[in-house]
Structures are given as structure tokens and as C-alpha cells.
Amino acid sequence: MSSLFPALSPAPSPAGTGAPAGRPALRFGERSLTYAELAAAAGGTAGRIRGAGRVAVWATPAMETAVAVVAALLAGIPAVPLNPKSGDKELAHILADSEPSLVLAPPGSELPPALAALERVDVDVRATGPVPEDGRTDDGAPALVVYTSGTTGPPKGAVIPRRALATTLDALADAWQWTGDDVLVQGLPLFHVHGLVLGILGPLRRGGSVRHLGRFSAEGAARELNDGATMLFGVPTMYHRIAEALPDDPELAKALAGARLLVSGSAALPVHDHERIAAATGRRVIERYGMTETLMNTSVRADGEPRAGTVGVPLPGVELRLVEEDGTPIAALDGESVGEIQVRGPNLFTEYLNRPDATAAAFTEDGFFRTGDMAVRDPDGYVRIVGRKATDLIKSGGYKIGAGEIENALLEHPGVREAAVTGEPDPDLGERIVAWIVPADPQSPPALDALADHVAARLAPHKRPRVLRHLDSLPRNDMGKIMKRALAHD
């Protein structure tokens, strides 16, 4: 297999994939590394961990995390990114499961007791050393072990091969017309696929640049976009803050209007926020769809229609189908037939570490991965996700209803600031639709009848909520996803 990072390779780079040694590669705040400096730092770190099995990476949003992961990949050593916000119990499980031989961390950072027994290697971003020839590593070899946030039981370690990194990033380059001339700005966590693989490894594979904000802010994104950045990656929470700030911030509107690409992922971006951003900037946010186990599956293309509420079409090399509960494929592209998404392709993980039972259960006999996500497909093949099978598929009155489209409809009501939809048992309907609302004005929250009529007029009568619950805020995880299991037990 060829190098994951042609711009860092000691061998000559294929045409169009290299980068001048003096080009900026990484910038975190005031600190930056050119490609020559990154190659030296990663090479120096790779030399210090040579011969290790797996290595844990204390994945703070810092330069050292990027250098550590690149060094491990160059050395052909699987990296296990650790969430610095994980509790001791979760960390202990991940360490016992993945058995790393050492932990890479920024100098001076305080590590929790769960890591005390591991050898520690401080990452020196000004180190120098030769870059290993990583082309010798088989494309099926493990690159990362990323732990999924388990909704039931402890997190599982998804083993992501080098092949999956390369094919996903190259497929996104095709879909987004992503080149070495692009400068990406982001402020995402670096222990997830979104921030680490797409947001750090993606620019480096192209020979481009990434500017990490450390902590996301609309002001920081605007500053970088107005200073030459061409792309912004974010999650819905970030774009919601942008949408809220736009009416009073002409500099932010100017920055977004000048961006080549605005990309949202990790959860569905509400249509209401799509429209507010488009109205203020003339630019549309595009969405893509992926998972830890699959990396990226679909995206709206840079040269395609940026249709709000959809995640575009399958990426090159990805086979995607919708299936009924019994596994029967759904052939209809009618925008209404709900089925579970299953995918197959070189972008998939190889296994859950030490969990052959879970691995076997995750795949069909013909090699498709069961995502657990429910969707419909429009006549032109665009995929529209309506929710998770476990928490967002509501069976009410003989209908299969996706929570996502109801949430989008609710968010169009002026009295609703945030919305989530779940189902609960109903003796007549099977399940009834429950709307959880954060009102725009807590002193005057919208009534159930008004919201039910609002939804029924936009979707269909059987999709109207039957129960309304008001909240001060919705429970969310680090990536901005609503934790519906917490709602169900609220």
C-alpha cells in the first residue's frame, strides 16, 4: 500500500499529492508546524515507540495529539485515542481491553490514576528524526482502535484498518473536490473519527493545512475563514450557535459566505438551522453520514445539490441498501419507505476488539454492516436519515415513523428552541409520539395542540405528537448528539 501521507513520505510523492516542505501543515492556536517540521517531529516520536504493540494517545485538542497519531501511523503501530473526559471506570475498561504498551501525552499534562501503570512518552513537537517508510505496512493492518460510546454495556473497540482511512479520505476528496490548496478550520474533539480522521488526517493526506481552534467558537471560525481558510467542519451544536449569532454579526456572515465548503456531521443538522444560515450567507451547509465502524458512507457532493435534511449519495466504493426488519431489501426510491441502512465496502472496520460475538452480529451473511440507522431514499438516490432503530423508530398506529423528520418540523415552530422526539408505549397505537421541547420563551411555552397541528400540516396527521414535555435543556454528548435514553428515563 502507498503511504497514508505522501507529503510526509521520504519517498517521492505521486503527482498532485505532495506538499512543499515549508507549507503549513498544522496550527493549534499560536503554535504551528510546517510539513518539514511535522515530518521531523512525527519521525522522532515514531523512533521512540518503535517495536510497541498498540499505543494509547491522550487525545486532548492539542498539537501533540496530531503528532502522536501521525507518528504511530507512520511507524505502523495501532493508536488508541483516549477521551480525556472519560471516567476512571471507562478508562480502565478501555486499557484492559486494548492493552496498550505505553501512552503518548503532551508534556506536563496530568493523567488520571487509571493510566498510572502505563509507560508514558511525552510528545515533543520540536523533535527531529527520520520518517519511517510506512508504505511497507499492509493495507489491512490496524491503524486505529476507536472506542464507541456504548448505549448498553461498556464501549467496544472498533479496529479500523489503514485501507479504511485511505479509501474514506480519498472518496471525500472526490466528493468535495478537496485538494492540497484547501485550508480547513475546525474545533472538534480528537478522540472521535470526525475530528481526528476527517479533520486532521484528511488535510494531511491531501497535503493541505488544518487550523484547530482548540475550543470551537463562532468568532474563531470567522477569524480563520476571513484569513484564508476555505473549509469548516462542525457538528450541529456548532452550526446552531452560528445560526443564532449571524443576525448580529456581519463579519461572521461574510466569513461563511466566502468559504468554499461548510460541512456538518456526527448528527443531523436541523432544517431550520440550514435555512437560517443559507438566508444570512447565501451558502448552504452540506451533510455527510458515517459511523466509527464505517468511517464515511455518504455525502452531499460539492458539485451536487445541497439539499437540507439529507446526507447525500453513497461515496465512491460504498454499497448502501435499505432493508426491512426481516432483512428484505427495499427497492423503492420514493422518499417514504423507511428501512435500516446497511453498507459494504473498503471503508468498514474489521472487527470489535476481543468481541467476536459482537463482530459476527454486526454483519450480514453477505458482508453488509448493520448500521442501526433508519432512512428513506429519494428518487434520485439521496439518503435522508430519520433516526436510530433503537431510539428513533416509532411504530404508531401501523406506521413506521422516524423521529428526525418530526424534530425538524417542530424546530420550524417559532416557539421551539430545541426539540427531541421519542416513542412510549400506548395501549391503542402501540407507541405514541412524545415531543420533548425547550421553549424559545420559557414564560410562554407552546401548547400541545398548537404543535400537533403544526406537525400534521407539514408531514401527516399520524406523525403529530400526542404527548408534550417541556425541558430547560436537552441532554447531549460531546459531539452534540441528543442522548435519548436519558430522556426516556427522565
Side-chain angles (χ1 to χ4, degrees):
M1 177 181 175
S2 62
S3 169
L4 283 172
F5 309 112
L8 298 176
S9 175
S13 298
T17 61
R23 175 182 288 176
L26 299 170
R27 193 170 87 192
F28 284 75
E30 298 301 313
R31 300 195 300 161
S32 63
L33 292 176
T34 65
Y35 270 90
E37 291 166 338
L38 174 58
T45 303
R48 295 176 67 191
I49 63 175
R50 186 174 289 113
R54 299 184 194 97
V55 295
V57 177
W58 190 240
T60 59
M63 181 87 74
E64 286 80 5
T65 299
V67 171
V69 173
V70 170
L73 292 172
L74 290 174
I77 296 170
V80 185
L82 300 178
N83 178 356
K85 294 182 180 179
S86 292
D88 282 344
K89 183 177 180 181
E90 183 172 282
L91 276 176
H93 162 73
I94 291 171
L95 296 173
D97 191 53
S98 61
E99 298 183 305
S101 44
L102 53 87
V103 59
L104 292 161
S109 60
E110 185 177 347
L111 301 183
L115 292 166
L118 268 186
E119 177 189 351
R120 173 175 177 155
V121 173
D122 284 339
V123 178
D124 180 2
V125 301
R126 296 299 172 186
T128 59
V131 177
E133 179 54 78
D134 69 338
R136 72 185 188 281
T137 306
D138 180 77
D139 68 354
L144 300 171
V145 182
V146 182
Y147 278 79
T148 63
S149 50
T151 51
T152 57
K156 299 188 291 291
V159 179
I160 300 173
R162 299 171 70 86
R163 169 185 60 244
L165 297 181
T167 55
T168 275
L169 295 176
D170 292 349
L172 289 177
D174 175 84
W176 295 345
Q177 300 171 5
W178 192 355
T179 73
D181 293 329
D182 279 305
V183 177
L184 169 67
V185 58
Q186 58 127 322
L188 296 159
L190 299 186
F191 47 85
H192 282 299
V193 163
H194 192 173
L196 178 60
V197 177
L198 275 60
I200 297 292
L201 306 186
L204 297 181
R205 183 160 175 83
R206 302 270 67 82
S209 304
V210 57
R211 302 175 188 173
H212 197 286
L213 298 173
R215 183 181 181 86
F216 175 82
S217 69
E219 296 80 6
R223 181 185 66 246
E224 298 301 339
L225 288 170
N226 280 326
D227 190 32
T230 61
M231 302 166 68
L232 172 65
F233 288 0
V235 298
T237 303
M238 297 172 181
Y239 281 106
H240 178 72
R241 291 177 194 164
I242 285 173
E244 293 277 289
L246 275 170
D248 303 314
D249 192 340
E251 280 299 301
L252 178 59
K254 174 188 169 188
L256 294 178
R260 189 180 74 78
L261 211 61
L262 308 173
V263 183
S264 181
S266 296
L269 179 62
V271 172
H272 179 53
D273 288 334
H274 268 287
E275 299 303 338
R276 290 198 292 171
I277 292 169
T281 69
R283 298 303 309 274
R284 289 226 170 240
V285 179
I286 68 170
E287 294 189 77
R288 86 297 180 283
Y289 162 61
M291 302 176 68
T292 301
E293 293 92 338
T294 67
L295 299 188
M296 293 301 110
N297 300 308
T298 73
S299 181
V300 173
R301 296 181 59 87
D303 56 1
E305 180 189 350
R307 195 178 306 161
T310 76
V311 292
V313 296
L315 290 168
V318 177
E319 297 177 71
L320 181 147
R321 68 187 183 190
L322 302 184
V323 300
E324 301 278 9
E325 287 185 73
D326 63 1
T328 304
I330 296 173
L333 301 181
D334 57 9
E336 289 292 335
S337 300
V338 177
E340 181 189 0
I341 299 173
Q342 295 184 349
V343 292
R344 182 170 66 182
N347 55 311
L348 297 188
F349 78 132
T350 53
E351 64 173 334
Y352 290 117
L353 189 65
N354 304 321
R355 291 291 305 276
D357 54 336
T359 303
F363 288 91
T364 64
E365 289 184 1
D366 53 352
F368 279 81
F369 176 73
R370 300 181 170 101
T371 67
D373 288 316
M374 309 301 293
V376 300
R377 293 192 77 177
D378 292 337
D380 58 3
Y382 269 57
V383 176
R384 184 157 47 89
I385 296 172
V386 298
R388 288 288 293 168
K389 185 176 182 179
T391 55
D392 294 318
L393 182 65
I394 301 167
K395 297 176 183 176
S396 182
Y399 294 98
K400 288 194 294 185
I401 302 167
E405 60 179 346
I406 304 174
E407 290 163 354
N408 272 324
L410 288 168
L411 287 166
E412 293 177 12
H413 190 284
V416 175
R417 181 178 298 276
E418 294 183 79
V421 168
T422 61
E424 66 180 24
D426 183 276
D428 180 42
L429 297 169
E431 284 186 292
R432 56 180 171 262
I433 297 169
V434 181
W436 306 76
I437 295 300
V438 177
D441 179 3
Q443 304 305 315
S444 181
L448 173 60
D449 287 349
L451 291 179
D453 291 345
H454 174 84
V455 170
R458 280 160 176 73
L459 300 177
H462 66 268
K463 295 179 181 179
R464 68 189 186 277
R466 310 281 180 146
V467 178
L468 175 62
R469 296 194 176 122
H470 293 109
L471 296 171
D472 294 330
S473 64
L474 295 176
R476 296 179 184 270
N477 66 11
D478 289 322
M479 298 302 285
K481 292 182 183 178
I482 298 169
M483 298 188 291
K484 292 197 175 178
R485 291 181 186 275
L487 284 178
H489 296 93
D490 202 56

PDB file of all heavy atoms in Angstrom, residues 7 30 32 43 49 56 72 84 175 185 200 211 220 246 249 258 275 307 322 327 343 349 356 372-373 401 417 457:
ATOM      1  N   ALA A   7       2.761  13.534   1.538  1.00  0.00           N
ATOM      2  CA  ALA A   7       3.512  14.766   1.768  1.00  0.00           C
ATOM      3  C   ALA A   7       4.574  14.608   2.853  1.00  0.00           C
ATOM      4  O   ALA A   7       5.479  15.437   2.958  1.00  0.00           O
ATOM      5  CB  ALA A   7       2.568  15.895   2.150  1.00  0.00           C
ATOM      6  N   GLU A  30      -1.506  29.540  18.609  1.00  0.00           N
ATOM      7  CA  GLU A  30      -0.327  30.250  18.120  1.00  0.00           C
ATOM      8  C   GLU A  30       0.776  29.300  17.651  1.00  0.00           C
ATOM      9  O   GLU A  30       1.788  29.754  17.104  1.00  0.00           O
ATOM     10  CB  GLU A  30       0.234  31.153  19.239  1.00  0.00           C
ATOM     11  CG  GLU A  30      -0.731  32.240  19.703  1.00  0.00           C
ATOM     12  CD  GLU A  30      -1.146  33.163  18.574  1.00  0.00           C
ATOM     13  OE1 GLU A  30      -0.256  33.614  17.826  1.00  0.00           O
ATOM     14  OE2 GLU A  30      -2.362  33.417  18.415  1.00  0.00           O
ATOM     15  N   SER A  32       2.399  26.268  15.356  1.00  0.00           N
ATOM     16  CA  SER A  32       2.200  25.686  14.034  1.00  0.00           C
ATOM     17  C   SER A  32       3.400  24.839  13.650  1.00  0.00           C
ATOM     18  O   SER A  32       4.499  24.999  14.200  1.00  0.00           O
ATOM     19  CB  SER A  32       1.972  26.780  12.985  1.00  0.00           C
ATOM     20  OG  SER A  32       3.118  27.607  12.874  1.00  0.00           O
ATOM     21  N   GLY A  43       8.598  11.715  12.919  1.00  0.00           N
ATOM     22  CA  GLY A  43       9.681  10.749  12.789  1.00  0.00           C
ATOM     23  C   GLY A  43      10.397  10.526  14.106  1.00  0.00           C
ATOM     24  O   GLY A  43      10.717   9.386  14.475  1.00  0.00           O
ATOM     25  N   ILE A  49       8.816   5.002  19.789  1.00  0.00           N
ATOM     26  CA  ILE A  49       7.807   3.965  20.079  1.00  0.00           C
ATOM     27  C   ILE A  49       7.995   2.730  19.209  1.00  0.00           C
ATOM     28  O   ILE A  49       7.163   1.828  19.229  1.00  0.00           O
ATOM     29  CB  ILE A  49       6.379   4.525  19.894  1.00  0.00           C
ATOM     30  CG1 ILE A  49       6.134   4.942  18.438  1.00  0.00           C
ATOM     31  CG2 ILE A  49       6.132   5.682  20.847  1.00  0.00           C
ATOM     32  CD1 ILE A  49       4.708   5.401  18.168  1.00  0.00           C
ATOM     33  N   ALA A  56      -1.611   3.975  23.409  1.00  0.00           N
ATOM     34  CA  ALA A  56      -2.704   4.880  23.752  1.00  0.00           C
ATOM     35  C   ALA A  56      -2.256   6.309  23.496  1.00  0.00           C
ATOM     36  O   ALA A  56      -1.073   6.640  23.620  1.00  0.00           O
ATOM     37  CB  ALA A  56      -3.092   4.692  25.218  1.00  0.00           C
ATOM     38  N   ALA A  72       2.414   7.276  15.125  1.00  0.00           N
ATOM     39  CA  ALA A  72       2.027   5.869  15.247  1.00  0.00           C
ATOM     40  C   ALA A  72       1.690   5.280  13.883  1.00  0.00           C
ATOM     41  O   ALA A  72       2.101   4.161  13.556  1.00  0.00           O
ATOM     42  CB  ALA A  72       0.845   5.736  16.206  1.00  0.00           C
ATOM     43  N   PRO A  84     -10.155  12.468  27.053  1.00  0.00           N
ATOM     44  CA  PRO A  84      -9.712  12.993  28.344  1.00  0.00           C
ATOM     45  C   PRO A  84     -10.843  13.194  29.349  1.00  0.00           C
ATOM     46  O   PRO A  84     -10.583  13.347  30.540  1.00  0.00           O
ATOM     47  CB  PRO A  84      -9.062  14.332  27.974  1.00  0.00           C
ATOM     48  CG  PRO A  84      -8.723  14.216  26.532  1.00  0.00           C
ATOM     49  CD  PRO A  84      -9.798  13.362  25.935  1.00  0.00           C
ATOM     50  N   ALA A 175     -15.622  13.617  -3.594  1.00  0.00           N
ATOM     51  CA  ALA A 175     -16.946  14.215  -3.401  1.00  0.00           C
ATOM     52  C   ALA A 175     -16.866  15.721  -3.152  1.00  0.00           C
ATOM     53  O   ALA A 175     -17.742  16.480  -3.581  1.00  0.00           O
ATOM     54  CB  ALA A 175     -17.663  13.531  -2.241  1.00  0.00           C
ATOM     55  N   VAL A 185     -10.623  24.723   8.840  1.00  0.00           N
ATOM     56  CA  VAL A 185     -10.729  25.175  10.223  1.00  0.00           C
ATOM     57  C   VAL A 185     -11.738  24.288  10.929  1.00  0.00           C
ATOM     58  O   VAL A 185     -12.789  23.946  10.379  1.00  0.00           O
ATOM     59  CB  VAL A 185     -11.113  26.667  10.325  1.00  0.00           C
ATOM     60  CG1 VAL A 185     -12.424  26.973   9.617  1.00  0.00           C
ATOM     61  CG2 VAL A 185     -11.222  27.094  11.779  1.00  0.00           C
ATOM     62  N   ILE A 200      -8.083  15.996  10.877  1.00  0.00           N
ATOM     63  CA  ILE A 200      -6.619  16.091  10.961  1.00  0.00           C
ATOM     64  C   ILE A 200      -5.960  15.265   9.861  1.00  0.00           C
ATOM     65  O   ILE A 200      -5.186  15.781   9.050  1.00  0.00           O
ATOM     66  CB  ILE A 200      -6.093  15.618  12.333  1.00  0.00           C
ATOM     67  CG1 ILE A 200      -6.617  16.520  13.458  1.00  0.00           C
ATOM     68  CG2 ILE A 200      -4.562  15.586  12.338  1.00  0.00           C
ATOM     69  CD1 ILE A 200      -6.068  17.941  13.449  1.00  0.00           C
ATOM     70  N   ARG A 211      -6.288  24.207  10.664  1.00  0.00           N
ATOM     71  CA  ARG A 211      -6.167  25.125  11.806  1.00  0.00           C
ATOM     72  C   ARG A 211      -7.196  24.686  12.841  1.00  0.00           C
ATOM     73  O   ARG A 211      -8.408  24.760  12.587  1.00  0.00           O
ATOM     74  CB  ARG A 211      -6.433  26.567  11.375  1.00  0.00           C
ATOM     75  CG  ARG A 211      -5.489  27.060  10.276  1.00  0.00           C
ATOM     76  CD  ARG A 211      -5.898  28.455   9.816  1.00  0.00           C
ATOM     77  NE  ARG A 211      -5.129  28.883   8.639  1.00  0.00           N
ATOM     78  CZ  ARG A 211      -5.377  29.996   7.957  1.00  0.00           C
ATOM     79  NH1 ARG A 211      -6.377  30.793   8.348  1.00  0.00           N
ATOM     80  NH2 ARG A 211      -4.655  30.312   6.909  1.00  0.00           N
ATOM     81  N   GLY A 220     -13.934  32.447  16.412  1.00  0.00           N
ATOM     82  CA  GLY A 220     -12.706  31.821  15.932  1.00  0.00           C
ATOM     83  C   GLY A 220     -12.846  31.304  14.515  1.00  0.00           C
ATOM     84  O   GLY A 220     -11.944  31.469  13.683  1.00  0.00           O
ATOM     85  N   LEU A 246     -25.561  34.863  13.671  1.00  0.00           N
ATOM     86  CA  LEU A 246     -25.485  35.535  12.363  1.00  0.00           C
ATOM     87  C   LEU A 246     -26.242  36.864  12.275  1.00  0.00           C
ATOM     88  O   LEU A 246     -25.711  37.826  11.693  1.00  0.00           O
ATOM     89  CB  LEU A 246     -25.980  34.581  11.265  1.00  0.00           C
ATOM     90  CG  LEU A 246     -24.933  33.614  10.722  1.00  0.00           C
ATOM     91  CD1 LEU A 246     -25.595  32.567   9.833  1.00  0.00           C
ATOM     92  CD2 LEU A 246     -23.861  34.373   9.939  1.00  0.00           C
ATOM     93  N   ASP A 249     -23.975  39.657  13.517  1.00  0.00           N
ATOM     94  CA  ASP A 249     -22.531  39.541  13.281  1.00  0.00           C
ATOM     95  C   ASP A 249     -22.231  39.538  11.784  1.00  0.00           C
ATOM     96  O   ASP A 249     -22.091  38.484  11.163  1.00  0.00           O
ATOM     97  CB  ASP A 249     -22.001  38.260  13.942  1.00  0.00           C
ATOM     98  CG  ASP A 249     -20.482  38.220  13.998  1.00  0.00           C
ATOM     99  OD1 ASP A 249     -19.834  38.943  13.230  1.00  0.00           O
ATOM    100  OD2 ASP A 249     -19.936  37.435  14.812  1.00  0.00           O
ATOM    101  N   GLY A 258     -17.777  33.407   2.222  1.00  0.00           N
ATOM    102  CA  GLY A 258     -16.558  33.232   1.457  1.00  0.00           C
ATOM    103  C   GLY A 258     -15.955  31.849   1.513  1.00  0.00           C
ATOM    104  O   GLY A 258     -14.977  31.564   0.807  1.00  0.00           O
ATOM    105  N   GLU A 275     -31.646  26.605   6.963  1.00  0.00           N
ATOM    106  CA  GLU A 275     -32.296  27.715   6.265  1.00  0.00           C
ATOM    107  C   GLU A 275     -31.839  29.063   6.808  1.00  0.00           C
ATOM    108  O   GLU A 275     -31.670  30.029   6.047  1.00  0.00           O
ATOM    109  CB  GLU A 275     -33.820  27.580   6.368  1.00  0.00           C
ATOM    110  CG  GLU A 275     -34.379  26.293   5.749  1.00  0.00           C
ATOM    111  CD  GLU A 275     -34.016  26.136   4.274  1.00  0.00           C
ATOM    112  OE1 GLU A 275     -33.712  27.147   3.593  1.00  0.00           O
ATOM    113  OE2 GLU A 275     -34.014  24.981   3.789  1.00  0.00           O
ATOM    114  N   ARG A 307     -29.090  19.681  -0.463  1.00  0.00           N
ATOM    115  CA  ARG A 307     -30.490  19.608  -0.047  1.00  0.00           C
ATOM    116  C   ARG A 307     -30.589  19.443   1.472  1.00  0.00           C
ATOM    117  O   ARG A 307     -30.101  18.466   2.039  1.00  0.00           O
ATOM    118  CB  ARG A 307     -31.142  18.425  -0.749  1.00  0.00           C
ATOM    119  CG  ARG A 307     -32.649  18.404  -0.721  1.00  0.00           C
ATOM    120  CD  ARG A 307     -33.171  17.200  -1.489  1.00  0.00           C
ATOM    121  NE  ARG A 307     -32.637  17.161  -2.852  1.00  0.00           N
ATOM    122  CZ  ARG A 307     -32.632  16.053  -3.601  1.00  0.00           C
ATOM    123  NH1 ARG A 307     -33.122  14.920  -3.131  1.00  0.00           N
ATOM    124  NH2 ARG A 307     -32.132  16.094  -4.820  1.00  0.00           N
ATOM    125  N   LEU A 322     -31.192  -0.209   1.855  1.00  0.00           N
ATOM    126  CA  LEU A 322     -32.156  -0.157   2.957  1.00  0.00           C
ATOM    127  C   LEU A 322     -32.864  -1.496   3.026  1.00  0.00           C
ATOM    128  O   LEU A 322     -33.186  -2.083   1.982  1.00  0.00           O
ATOM    129  CB  LEU A 322     -33.181   0.955   2.735  1.00  0.00           C
ATOM    130  CG  LEU A 322     -32.667   2.385   2.562  1.00  0.00           C
ATOM    131  CD1 LEU A 322     -33.844   3.355   2.462  1.00  0.00           C
ATOM    132  CD2 LEU A 322     -31.738   2.774   3.687  1.00  0.00           C
ATOM    133  N   GLY A 327     -34.800  -8.227   6.887  1.00  0.00           N
ATOM    134  CA  GLY A 327     -33.619  -8.225   6.033  1.00  0.00           C
ATOM    135  C   GLY A 327     -33.906  -8.107   4.548  1.00  0.00           C
ATOM    136  O   GLY A 327     -32.976  -8.047   3.748  1.00  0.00           O
ATOM    137  N   VAL A 343     -24.376  -1.171   4.909  1.00  0.00           N
ATOM    138  CA  VAL A 343     -23.322  -0.737   3.993  1.00  0.00           C
ATOM    139  C   VAL A 343     -22.247  -1.808   3.865  1.00  0.00           C
ATOM    140  O   VAL A 343     -22.016  -2.602   4.789  1.00  0.00           O
ATOM    141  CB  VAL A 343     -22.679   0.595   4.436  1.00  0.00           C
ATOM    142  CG1 VAL A 343     -23.651   1.749   4.308  1.00  0.00           C
ATOM    143  CG2 VAL A 343     -22.155   0.502   5.857  1.00  0.00           C
ATOM    144  N   PHE A 349     -14.701  -1.074   9.268  1.00  0.00           N
ATOM    145  CA  PHE A 349     -13.792  -1.634  10.272  1.00  0.00           C
ATOM    146  C   PHE A 349     -13.673  -3.134  10.058  1.00  0.00           C
ATOM    147  O   PHE A 349     -14.446  -3.738   9.307  1.00  0.00           O
ATOM    148  CB  PHE A 349     -14.289  -1.296  11.666  1.00  0.00           C
ATOM    149  CG  PHE A 349     -15.442  -2.136  12.200  1.00  0.00           C
ATOM    150  CD1 PHE A 349     -15.395  -2.683  13.466  1.00  0.00           C
ATOM    151  CD2 PHE A 349     -16.601  -2.356  11.441  1.00  0.00           C
ATOM    152  CE1 PHE A 349     -16.440  -3.440  13.972  1.00  0.00           C
ATOM    153  CE2 PHE A 349     -17.658  -3.101  11.933  1.00  0.00           C
ATOM    154  CZ  PHE A 349     -17.573  -3.663  13.207  1.00  0.00           C
ATOM    155  N   PRO A 356     -15.643 -11.290  19.232  1.00  0.00           N
ATOM    156  CA  PRO A 356     -16.079 -11.983  18.015  1.00  0.00           C
ATOM    157  C   PRO A 356     -17.588 -12.130  17.927  1.00  0.00           C
ATOM    158  O   PRO A 356     -18.158 -12.128  16.832  1.00  0.00           O
ATOM    159  CB  PRO A 356     -15.378 -13.346  18.111  1.00  0.00           C
ATOM    160  CG  PRO A 356     -15.017 -13.512  19.557  1.00  0.00           C
ATOM    161  CD  PRO A 356     -14.758 -12.126  20.062  1.00  0.00           C
ATOM    162  N   GLY A 372     -27.937   0.169  12.089  1.00  0.00           N
ATOM    163  CA  GLY A 372     -28.927   0.543  13.102  1.00  0.00           C
ATOM    164  C   GLY A 372     -29.567   1.894  12.838  1.00  0.00           C
ATOM    165  O   GLY A 372     -30.417   2.342  13.600  1.00  0.00           O
ATOM    166  N   ASP A 373     -29.184   2.556  11.735  1.00  0.00           N
ATOM    167  CA  ASP A 373     -29.777   3.837  11.364  1.00  0.00           C
ATOM    168  C   ASP A 373     -30.908   3.607  10.369  1.00  0.00           C
ATOM    169  O   ASP A 373     -30.783   2.789   9.455  1.00  0.00           O
ATOM    170  CB  ASP A 373     -28.727   4.769  10.747  1.00  0.00           C
ATOM    171  CG  ASP A 373     -27.748   5.286  11.775  1.00  0.00           C
ATOM    172  OD1 ASP A 373     -28.185   5.681  12.862  1.00  0.00           O
ATOM    173  OD2 ASP A 373     -26.526   5.283  11.491  1.00  0.00           O
ATOM    174  N   ILE A 401     -42.476   5.361  11.795  1.00  0.00           N
ATOM    175  CA  ILE A 401     -42.256   6.809  11.771  1.00  0.00           C
ATOM    176  C   ILE A 401     -40.853   7.108  12.299  1.00  0.00           C
ATOM    177  O   ILE A 401     -40.455   6.623  13.353  1.00  0.00           O
ATOM    178  CB  ILE A 401     -43.303   7.527  12.650  1.00  0.00           C
ATOM    179  CG1 ILE A 401     -44.724   7.196  12.175  1.00  0.00           C
ATOM    180  CG2 ILE A 401     -43.063   9.036  12.652  1.00  0.00           C
ATOM    181  CD1 ILE A 401     -45.805   7.597  13.162  1.00  0.00           C
ATOM    182  N   ARG A 417     -37.193  26.196  20.709  1.00  0.00           N
ATOM    183  CA  ARG A 417     -35.750  26.412  20.577  1.00  0.00           C
ATOM    184  C   ARG A 417     -35.022  25.107  20.274  1.00  0.00           C
ATOM    185  O   ARG A 417     -34.166  25.034  19.409  1.00  0.00           O
ATOM    186  CB  ARG A 417     -35.190  27.024  21.865  1.00  0.00           C
ATOM    187  CG  ARG A 417     -33.682  27.296  21.808  1.00  0.00           C
ATOM    188  CD  ARG A 417     -33.169  27.945  23.081  1.00  0.00           C
ATOM    189  NE  ARG A 417     -33.782  29.244  23.296  1.00  0.00           N
ATOM    190  CZ  ARG A 417     -33.344  30.372  22.728  1.00  0.00           C
ATOM    191  NH1 ARG A 417     -32.320  30.342  21.900  1.00  0.00           N
ATOM    192  NH2 ARG A 417     -33.935  31.514  22.991  1.00  0.00           N
ATOM    193  N   ALA A 457     -49.733  19.520   9.694  1.00  0.00           N
ATOM    194  CA  ALA A 457     -49.857  20.310   8.463  1.00  0.00           C
ATOM    195  C   ALA A 457     -48.635  20.152   7.564  1.00  0.00           C
ATOM    196  O   ALA A 457     -48.741  20.261   6.340  1.00  0.00           O
ATOM    197  CB  ALA A 457     -50.068  21.783   8.813  1.00  0.00           C
TER     198      ALA A 457
END
